[in-house]
Amino acid sequence: MRIRATVAAVSGALALSALAVPAAHATGDSGTPYTLNVSFSNVTIAKAIKVGTTNEVSATYSYTLTHGSDVDITKADFYTDAFLYKGSYDTPTAELYGDDPATCTATSATTATCKGTVDIYPADGDLKNAWAGSWGVAAEAVAFNGQNQDNPADMSKVGYKDQSGLGSTLVQRYSKLTVNAGPEPVGKGKTLTVTGKLSRANWEDHQYHGYSGQPVKLQFKKAGTTTYSTIKTVNTDSYGNLKTTTTANYDGYWRFSYAGTSTTPAVSAAGDYVDVQ
């Protein structure tokens, strides 16, 4: 159940911002939900959510729900969840919800810890490329109080509360990075050519395309050691390709490493071992 959309629908397609009615109007009227006596705090969610082209991605969240004695969170027609919104909360560009409401566990007579997931389906068109980056976190709750959830006879008996600005997360276009170093083997002191490609998910055509104009580090890890050292920085071309040369002095692993941006996560290629003779 997408609570925000459901309440809007049964309210006669009210504007979303109109659902959070002032507390002074808690008694409501026949067409308007009253403000539910709840609040939300301590929201936690992943700092970044990496989304590819086809696979479903679920991001777990939790928050504290505080409620008045007049709210019974154990009722079957009480629902709450957290969700993501892009841009302004009052006029969001997009919203992302979970498949199911949160599950709440009471921690006192008036508080509960609620947990759930935001579920993203890129193959179904949930995302556009321009939406990559920062998203806000909001939470909401609704109590139907015995009213028909599909067609309440009296909307004034339905309570609803939402709260924005509870946090943020990055929704990012999943990235891939390859590397190939050669020739193999190579003579000591000879030139080694290292090639690769940086690509990222396109949420609109569901393919991976080269990411152009990005600085990528060429790194080396000497055989028998555990740490990579940066040799130089190389920029991807208009197709996301990488190509550079270096001098081979020791046996070891070569890789490219990308630091990432707000829209695209950091990624490192698996090291390519080169034998120096």
Side-chain angles (χ1 to χ4, degrees):
M1 171 185 286
R2 291 191 172 187
I3 297 171
R4 193 165 161 89
T6 298
V7 175
V10 299
S11 299
L14 289 173
L16 296 179
S17 60
L19 296 179
V21 296
H25 294 76
T27 56
D29 56 43
S30 60
T32 306
Y34 68 88
T35 301
L36 196 62
N37 186 13
V38 299
S39 62
F40 313 89
S41 60
N42 303 322
V43 175
T44 62
I45 194 168
K47 292 182 179 180
I49 305 170
K50 304 173 185 179
V51 184
T53 58
T54 57
N55 293 338
E56 173 195 351
V57 176
S58 295
T60 301
Y61 62 74
S62 69
Y63 56 90
T64 299
L65 174 71
T66 303
H67 60 90
S69 58
D70 57 328
V71 176
D72 186 351
I73 67 170
T74 66
K75 291 289 188 180
D77 60 358
F78 174 87
Y79 303 96
T80 183
D81 69 355
F83 61 96
L84 307 181
Y85 60 95
K86 182 67 176 176
S88 166
Y89 184 68
D90 290 335
T91 56
T93 302
E95 295 173 330
L96 292 170
Y97 292 83
D99 293 338
D100 300 296
T103 299
C104 296
T105 302
T107 53
S108 75
T110 58
T111 60
T113 297
C114 301
K115 298 181 179 180
T117 59
V118 172
D119 303 304
I120 306 173
Y121 297 86
D124 293 344
D126 281 3
L127 295 168
K128 294 185 181 299
N129 294 330
W131 298 348
S134 182
W135 289 62
V137 183
E140 61 187 348
V142 60
F144 284 98
N145 298 314
Q147 293 290 304
N148 184 316
Q149 296 175 37
D150 295 321
N151 186 25
D154 187 352
M155 278 300 297
S156 70
K157 294 181 179 179
V158 176
Y160 178 80
K161 175 70 178 294
D162 61 350
Q163 188 175 335
S164 62
L166 296 172
S168 65
T169 186
L170 297 176
V171 180
Q172 298 179 309
R173 297 166 61 179
Y174 195 88
S175 55
K176 296 180 179 182
L177 186 56
T178 63
V179 68
N180 183 55
E184 301 177 59
V186 65
K188 184 177 177 63
K190 298 297 184 180
T191 297
L192 189 70
T193 300
V194 188
T195 60
K197 184 171 184 175
L198 174 65
S199 58
R200 61 175 178 169
N202 185 308
W203 291 332
E204 295 170 24
D205 68 9
H206 312 299
Q207 302 292 326
Y208 280 86
H209 298 284
Y211 195 11
S212 65
Q214 298 300 304
V216 179
K217 294 177 180 179
L218 174 66
Q219 298 183 325
F220 176 70
K221 181 176 70 173
K222 187 177 179 180
T225 66
T226 59
T227 303
Y228 276 95
S229 298
T230 297
I231 305 302
K232 64 171 72 174
T233 297
V234 185
N235 289 327
T236 59
D237 67 13
S238 58
Y239 298 97
N241 295 317
L242 293 156
K243 184 175 183 179
T244 190
T245 58
T246 188
T247 302
N249 291 313
Y250 305 98
D251 294 347
Y253 299 85
W254 294 90
R255 75 175 186 183
F256 285 118
S257 183
Y258 176 58
T261 65
S262 63
T263 65
T264 309
V267 61
S268 293
D272 185 19
Y273 183 81
V274 175
D275 179 24
V276 176
Q277 296 182 346

